[in-house]
């Protein structure tokens, strides 16, 4: 397929390379800066532009991988240029497919759920891709496109994808921030973060075969107040993180009590 990538960030870079390696023709990269557009375009044999009003007309599919805040304005600009009958999709985890309504007749979502960095190559074959579409014909096209780069393709509506994305924020973004805090604490003693690698690996491996609630360990499970109070005091120069430590400890203990079947208010997720 002939594809235009609107965006050249972490996700767009990895997705464009994977689609190119699968035999598709990425004919153009549109980005805010020429440096960013050219960097990606050069690796996939595409042209690079910064003026979205010059988006090429002859692509089969237009993939929007931009910040949520500018997504609809980008869609509108491209639709005004190429018309409403081209296939347009976005890659956002938390934005409804309806963002295309009024701008395109054939549209959808192509959401690879993974953490991406430009400088790190990923194996797309193991990455789940969640798709959604305005019609069955377009859905088949997106399904076939996704199957070119991964065997894990799921049809998921916008509401469920929002919950999926929220879960991913907890499982990835927040966990990585905890690594950042741990690294800072280790620096006080002159220890490298690498001393955590074995612990991190075992924790990640356990939840592949155990429910996370069964894999949870540490002082917060039993709410050991002496340990918790002492560790809180050690973070005297990190007040925000000390507050997070207390909240996280209480949350862990809450889940532990719920697991044991004790009477405790259940968390509610707003739809």
């Amino acid at each position: 397929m002939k594809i235009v990538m609107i965006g050249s960030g972490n996700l767009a870079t990895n997705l464009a390379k994977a689609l190119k390696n699968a035999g598709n023709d990425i004919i153009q990269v549109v980005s805010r800066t020429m440096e960013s557009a050219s960097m990606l375009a050069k690796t996939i044999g595409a042209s690079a532009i910064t003026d979205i009003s010059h988006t090429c007309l002859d692509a089969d599919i237009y993939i929007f991988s931009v910040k949520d805040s500018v997504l609809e304005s980008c869609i509108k600009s491209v639709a005004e240029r190429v018309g409403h009958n081209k296939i347009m999709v976005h890659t956002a985890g938390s934005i409804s497919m309806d963002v295309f309504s009024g701008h395109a007749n054939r549209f959808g979502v192509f959401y690879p759920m993974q953490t991406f960095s430009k400088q790190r190559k990923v194996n797309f074959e193991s990455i789940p891709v969640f798709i959604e579409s305005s019609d069955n014909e377009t859905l088949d096209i997106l399904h076939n496109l996704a199957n070119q780069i991964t065997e894990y393709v799921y049809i998921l509506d916008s509401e469920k994808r929002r919950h999926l994305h929220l879960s991913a924020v907890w499982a990835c973004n927040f966990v990585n921030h905890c690594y950042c805090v741990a690294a800072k604490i280790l620096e006080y003693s002159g220890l490298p973060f690498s001393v955590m690698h074995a612990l991190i690996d075992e924790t990640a491996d356990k939840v592949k075969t155990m429910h996370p609630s069964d894999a949870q360990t540490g002082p917060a499970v039993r709410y050991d107040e002496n340990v918790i109070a002492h560790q809180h005091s050690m973070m005297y120069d990190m007040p925000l993180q000390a507050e997070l430590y207390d909240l996280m400890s209480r949350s862990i203990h809450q889940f532990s009590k719920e697991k044991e079947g004790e009477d405790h208010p259940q968390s509610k997720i707003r739809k």
Side-chain angles (χ1 to χ4, degrees), residues 16-255:
K17 290 178 179 178
L19 292 172
K20 175 68 174 181
N21 291 337
N24 296 284
D25 185 10
I26 316 297
I27 58 178
Q28 192 177 60
V29 175
V30 185
S31 189
R32 271 190 318 109
T33 67
M34 183 54 70
E35 179 183 10
S36 182
S38 297
M39 187 179 300
L40 175 56
K42 184 178 180 180
T43 65
I44 57 177
S47 64
I49 65 168
T50 58
D51 189 344
I52 201 167
S53 67
H54 292 166
T55 302
C56 69
L57 302 174
D58 59 343
D60 299 307
I61 183 168
Y62 295 79
I63 300 179
F64 294 81
S65 188
V66 297
K67 292 193 301 183
D68 292 355
S69 59
V70 301
L71 177 57
E72 187 166 8
S73 64
C74 289
I75 291 170
K76 181 180 179 181
S77 295
V78 172
E80 289 175 349
R81 164 72 173 167
V82 306
H84 290 220
N85 293 320
K86 297 287 188 175
I87 298 176
M88 299 183 185
V89 301
H90 72 66
T91 63
S94 58
I95 300 297
S96 170
M97 179 177 68
D98 294 340
V99 71
F100 289 102
S101 296
H103 303 300
N105 297 327
R106 302 175 65 191
F107 53 87
V109 177
F110 195 96
Y111 172 53
M113 193 182 69
Q114 182 57 281
T115 173
F116 295 104
S117 298
K118 287 184 180 181
Q119 66 272 25
R120 183 172 173 84
K121 184 178 180 180
V122 296
N123 178 14
F124 250 93
E125 293 179 359
S126 61
I127 295 175
V129 172
F130 297 86
I131 61 173
E132 183 181 12
S133 180
S134 57
D135 58 274
N136 290 333
E137 182 180 355
T138 303
L139 186 67
D140 288 341
I141 291 172
L142 296 183
H143 205 293
N144 290 335
L145 187 65
N147 271 142
Q148 293 177 16
I149 58 176
T150 180
E151 60 180 296
Y152 302 102
V153 183
Y154 304 91
I155 300 170
L156 196 70
D157 65 36
S158 291
E159 183 61 30
K160 290 180 179 178
R161 181 167 30 83
R162 287 176 59 215
H163 285 80
L164 178 73
H165 188 252
L166 173 59
S167 296
V169 168
W170 275 97
C172 175
N173 306 133
F174 287 179
V175 169
N176 190 74
H177 179 65
C178 289
Y179 295 159
C180 294
V181 176
K184 185 172 183 178
I185 293 171
L186 287 169
E187 288 170 4
Y188 291 142
S189 298
L191 294 169
F193 185 71
S194 59
V195 300
M196 292 286 135
H197 288 176
L199 178 64
I200 292 169
D201 290 345
E202 175 60 14
T203 304
D205 284 343
K206 277 203 297 187
V207 295
K208 293 176 183 177
T209 57
M210 301 169 62
H211 190 279
S213 62
D214 295 324
Q216 187 71 60
T217 60
V221 172
R222 58 188 182 276
Y223 212 76
D224 189 324
E225 294 187 35
N226 289 332
V227 174
I228 291 171
H230 178 64
Q231 291 189 337
H232 175 96
S233 69
M234 292 173 65
M235 304 176 70
Y236 63 91
D237 61 344
M238 302 170 66
L240 179 58
Q241 288 71 37
E243 183 179 354
L244 287 173
Y245 175 90
D246 289 344
L247 290 171
M248 190 72 76
S249 296
R250 287 163 53 194
S251 180
I252 290 171
H253 187 57
Q254 174 188 326
F255 274 47

